[in-house]
Amino acid sequence: MLARVHARARAKAGRVATAAGAAVLTGGLFTDSLTGPGIAAAVTTAGLGLATNIKILKAPSSAKATAIAVYAAPHAGTALLLVGERLAPAGGVTLLVQASVVAVWTGATWFIRPGRLARELVDEAVLQEIAAATKEPEEKAAAAEVAVDQADPDESAAARWWREEFAGEGGIAPGTVLLEHQRVSEECVAVIVGSAQRGTPVPDIAKPRLSAHLDVPEELIEIGPVPGRGAGVRLLVIGPRPKPAEIEKTAGSDEEVWKEIAATAMPGVELIEANTYAIRKELT
């Protein structure tokens, strides 16, 4: 309600200012005494109008200068026309041309209403900024949805963990995928990784970075070939290998699991010894 009353008051003030400007310009056609006061009144009116128009003063930077120029255009036009009327040579034709210009100024200002147009420009700029601010999160959410849709539904939790934490750009093992992983003992894990691009060798995996990331001593990390397989796969043994005495104790569990790995990915590999070491739960 208050905004509507305020808008009506501005509209009436604009109409009154337009009528006053037309009267001053018309009087300036016949006397030079109105030139100075008329210019001062135009400048003062423009300054007061802008000073009280918070919307324009707080407009986005992309539209602020344009809105101010549009708002001040009729006032600047009044000042220029007053100067032109004073400098124009006397004569009937000149007077007729000047009167026509005054009529055009009056009609354009009355119908275009520069003050309202300036505020509309500000409103449009604000809406564009809001749209731009909300568009970016929406695009990110859409990109995330696409990424989720493109994810392999058959990908295991361990493979996804390896991809997100190790195989990304700039990661410890970029361009690799986790093929198999199995616990050898309570503190030892065997991991088989392959190249993400078929027909290319597994990129070098920096043992110091892997050690730092897993918080496992370097001497407890072994990276080597998979017996019977090409350079497109690599075997990582993380943690201390079980000792022979421990192998006997676990012959009915971990040893059988290790044999399953050997039968599929490491033919000809025999488990000789194993140790135990606490390993990150993501690999378990």
Side-chain angles (χ1 to χ4, degrees):
M1 182 66 180
L2 183 61
R4 185 177 300 177
V5 173
H6 191 258
R8 289 179 179 176
R10 282 192 174 278
K12 290 182 179 179
R15 296 300 194 190
V16 171
T18 301
V24 171
L25 290 173
T26 302
L29 295 174
F30 305 102
T31 177
D32 294 339
S33 61
L34 293 176
T35 302
I39 293 175
V43 173
T44 303
T45 303
L48 289 175
L50 287 173
T52 57
N53 202 318
I54 305 300
K55 177 178 287 188
I56 294 179
L57 293 179
K58 292 186 176 181
S61 57
S62 59
K64 187 174 183 178
T66 303
I68 292 176
V70 170
Y71 187 91
H75 306 85
T78 300
L80 290 175
L81 289 177
L82 287 171
V83 173
E85 289 174 351
R86 184 162 187 173
L87 298 178
V93 176
T94 302
L95 184 62
L96 181 61
V97 171
Q98 293 178 26
S100 300
V101 173
V102 171
V104 171
W105 176 92
T106 303
T109 305
W110 187 270
F111 290 105
I112 294 177
R113 298 177 64 180
R116 184 180 65 177
L117 179 59
R119 290 190 293 274
E120 290 176 351
L121 290 174
V122 173
D123 291 338
E124 180 64 24
V126 171
L127 290 176
Q128 290 178 357
E129 287 204 349
I130 294 175
T134 57
K135 184 178 180 180
E136 184 175 352
E138 290 176 355
E139 289 178 346
K140 289 183 178 179
E145 290 178 1
V146 171
V148 171
D149 292 340
Q150 292 178 346
D152 186 356
D154 298 327
E155 183 181 42
S156 67
R160 182 167 52 254
W161 173 77
W162 178 273
R163 172 173 55 81
E164 294 174 351
E165 194 155 346
F166 291 93
E169 184 177 354
I172 298 173
T176 63
V177 293
L178 184 106
L179 301 178
E180 293 286 346
H181 83 285
Q182 188 63 57
R183 179 184 291 277
V184 179
S185 67
E186 185 178 350
E187 297 176 339
C188 180
V189 172
V191 175
I192 299 177
V193 297
S195 174
Q197 186 175 357
R198 184 176 178 82
T200 61
V202 174
D204 292 335
I205 300 174
K207 185 185 291 188
R209 291 187 62 188
L210 186 62
S211 170
H213 190 82
L214 297 176
D215 195 22
V216 174
E218 288 188 58
E219 59 269 19
L220 298 181
I221 298 176
E222 296 181 19
I223 303 175
V226 177
R229 300 292 301 275
V233 291
R234 280 290 181 266
L235 170 65
L236 279 69
V237 179
I238 305 171
R241 293 176 178 269
K243 296 179 180 180
E246 294 176 344
I247 295 176
E248 295 179 1
K249 295 179 181 178
T250 59
S253 56
D254 293 334
E255 183 176 346
E256 293 178 358
V257 172
W258 183 258
K259 287 181 179 180
E260 292 179 6
I261 297 177
T264 56
M266 297 175 289
V269 175
E270 181 180 356
L271 182 63
I272 299 177
E273 62 177 359
N275 293 316
T276 58
Y277 195 85
I279 193 64
R280 292 180 61 162
K281 65 180 181 179
E282 291 89 343
L283 289 173
T284 61

